[in-house]
Amino acid sequence: MVLGTILAVIISYFLGFSQAQLRVGFYANSCPNAEAIVSGVVHEAAASDENTAPVLLRLHFHDCFVQGCEGSILIDNGVATDEKHAFGHQGVRGFDTIEKAKAQLESACPRTVSCADIVALAARDALVLAKGPSYEVETGRRDGLVSNLRLADDMPDVNDSILKLKQKFFDKGLTDKDLVVLSAAHTIGTTACFFMGQRLYTFSADGNSDPSINPGFLPELKSTCPQNGDVNVRLPIDRGSPQTFDNGILQNIRSGFAVLQSDANLYQDGATKSVVDSYFGLLSPLLGPSFESDFANSMVRMGRIGVLTGTQGTIRRVCSAFD
C-alpha cells in the first residue's frame, strides 16, 4: 500500500510537470483559427462516415496510452515495426482525417500546430457531433520522435481482468472512476466478432460462455457472431443507442447486456461497480453525478498523459512522418 502511494505521488509529479505548459487557447496568437480548422475537417468527415465519432475518440485513447499523447500512433514509416501496426491497435482508424486537418493547418500556420493536439481536438469535436459533452481542450502538446509497436504491448485489452485494467489506468495516473467513464465511450461505435470469440465460446475450459452475459442476450450475440463464423462482422457495443452518446452503456453493463468482456468486468469489482451504480440512484437525475461532466473531465485528464511541451519533441510537417 505504501509503495502504491509512493508510485502515485511520483506519477502525479511528472504528470504535473509535463502538463505545466498545456493551456486552453495555446494557439490563440500563433494560429487563431486552429480549432475552427480542425472542427471543419471533423464535420466534413462525419458527413460521409457515421462512425467518425467513435473512430476519433478511439484514436485519441490509443495515442495517449502509448508513450503519452504525443502522436506516435500516426507515424507510418512503411515498416512492420511502426507503432500503428501493434496488435493492440487493431482496427484503429481516423489517420486520414488527422492528416487532412494537418495539411490545412500547415497552409495556415506552418510548423505551429502539433499532430498530437489535432488528435485531441478532433476527438472533442467528434464527441460533440455524437451529442456528447463539449469541453475546452488544453493544447500545447508537441509530437514524439519514437514509433515502435513493442511500446504498445501494455495497451488495455478487451480480455483483461478488472484488476489488470485498474492497474493499467493507475499506471497512467488515472483513477477507477476514469476507467469506468472512459470505457463508457463504448456507448458509440461497433466492435468485431474477432473480439467476441473467447467470451462466447471458450470462456471456460468446458467451452461455456461468460456467465455474466444475460441469458436473453446470449442467443443474440451468438447469432451475430457464430462459432467459426466471419470474425470481421461488426456489432454495436451499446445495445439500444449505438449512435448516440449517453449512459446507456452503463445500464447495459448493470443488466448483463455488455458486449465486451472488459465492459462487463466493470461490474465485477466493488470500486468500479460503485461508480457505475452512482449514475442510477433514485436521486441521481437531480443530486447525483453528471455522466457527461465526468466524461469530459476524464477526457481532459487523459489528454495530459505523458505530454511533451516546451522544447521537448517536435512539430511535424506531416503527421505520418518524422519530417
Side-chain angles (χ1 to χ4, degrees):
M1 191 63 154
V2 174
L3 178 60
T5 301
I6 293 173
L7 286 173
V9 171
I10 293 173
I11 289 171
S12 296
Y13 172 80
F14 282 106
L15 280 175
F17 179 79
S18 64
Q19 75 193 44
Q21 297 181 65
L22 286 183
R23 66 176 185 273
V24 174
F26 182 85
Y27 299 109
N29 295 320
S30 59
C31 191
N33 292 324
E35 295 199 22
I37 289 172
V38 174
S39 180
V41 172
V42 171
H43 276 72
E44 185 178 331
S48 59
D49 183 355
E50 64 180 7
N51 289 313
T52 292
V55 162
L56 293 178
L57 274 176
R58 189 180 185 212
L59 179 60
H60 186 30
F61 177 86
H62 280 247
D63 181 34
C64 290
F65 264 75
V66 180
Q67 302 186 84
C69 313
E70 41 73 84
S72 59
I73 193 174
L74 307 171
I75 293 295
D76 188 353
N77 291 311
V79 296
T81 55
D82 286 337
E83 182 195 318
K84 69 188 302 182
H85 299 307
F87 183 83
H89 288 333
Q90 290 180 95
V92 174
R93 300 189 293 117
F95 305 106
D96 54 340
T97 301
I98 303 303
E99 204 66 75
K100 185 171 183 178
K102 179 60 172 175
Q104 292 188 20
L105 285 164
E106 283 300 300
S107 294
C109 319
R111 295 282 190 171
T112 302
V113 182
S114 69
C115 299
D117 275 344
I118 296 172
V119 172
L121 290 167
R124 185 271 311 275
D125 294 338
L127 179 64
V128 172
L129 291 179
K131 296 181 173 58
S134 181
Y135 55 93
E136 292 187 308
V137 175
E138 297 171 336
T139 44
R141 300 168 187 80
R142 288 172 65 85
D143 298 320
L145 298 169
V146 177
S147 175
N148 190 312
L149 62 81
R150 302 306 305 175
L151 297 172
D153 284 348
D154 207 31
M155 275 292 301
D157 186 82
V158 295
N159 294 319
D160 282 344
S161 69
I162 185 59
L163 292 180
K164 185 175 288 188
L165 288 170
K166 290 173 69 174
Q167 186 62 51
K168 287 181 177 180
F169 272 67
F170 176 82
D171 290 344
K172 299 299 181 183
L174 299 176
T175 66
D176 291 345
K177 185 171 187 176
D178 293 320
L179 167 59
V180 171
V181 172
L182 292 174
S183 294
H186 292 153
T187 181
I188 50 177
T190 62
T191 190
C193 288
F194 173 84
F195 297 104
M196 301 298 298
Q198 178 181 352
R199 190 173 189 224
L200 294 179
Y201 301 106
T202 59
F203 191 79
S204 59
D206 55 8
N208 288 329
S209 304
D210 182 351
S212 72
I213 301 174
N214 188 301
F217 189 35
L218 187 58
E220 183 179 326
L221 290 175
K222 287 188 171 182
S223 175
T224 303
C225 300
Q227 193 166 23
N228 301 319
D230 184 355
V231 297
N232 294 312
V233 170
R234 303 195 68 83
L235 65 159
I237 307 177
D238 182 4
R239 183 178 185 265
S241 56
Q243 297 297 332
T244 302
F245 185 91
D246 56 28
N247 66 3
I249 184 75
L250 297 179
Q251 184 59 66
N252 283 341
I253 289 170
R254 300 175 82 218
S255 305
F257 289 98
V259 171
L260 296 176
Q261 182 182 331
S262 56
D263 288 346
N265 286 346
L266 297 175
Y267 218 58
Q268 308 304 315
D269 172 84
T272 52
K273 180 178 183 292
S274 176
V275 176
V276 173
D277 286 339
S278 70
Y279 297 106
F280 300 98
L282 289 176
L283 300 178
S284 290
L286 295 175
L287 303 176
S290 165
F291 170 64
E292 289 76 12
S293 294
D294 287 348
F295 187 86
N297 291 335
S298 289
M299 288 292 288
V300 171
R301 281 193 291 273
M302 184 184 77
R304 296 169 177 165
I305 297 174
V307 297
L308 303 176
T309 60
T311 59
Q312 301 170 314
T314 188
I315 301 294
R316 295 185 206 137
R317 184 178 59 84
V318 291
C319 293
S320 60
F322 290 126
D323 183 5

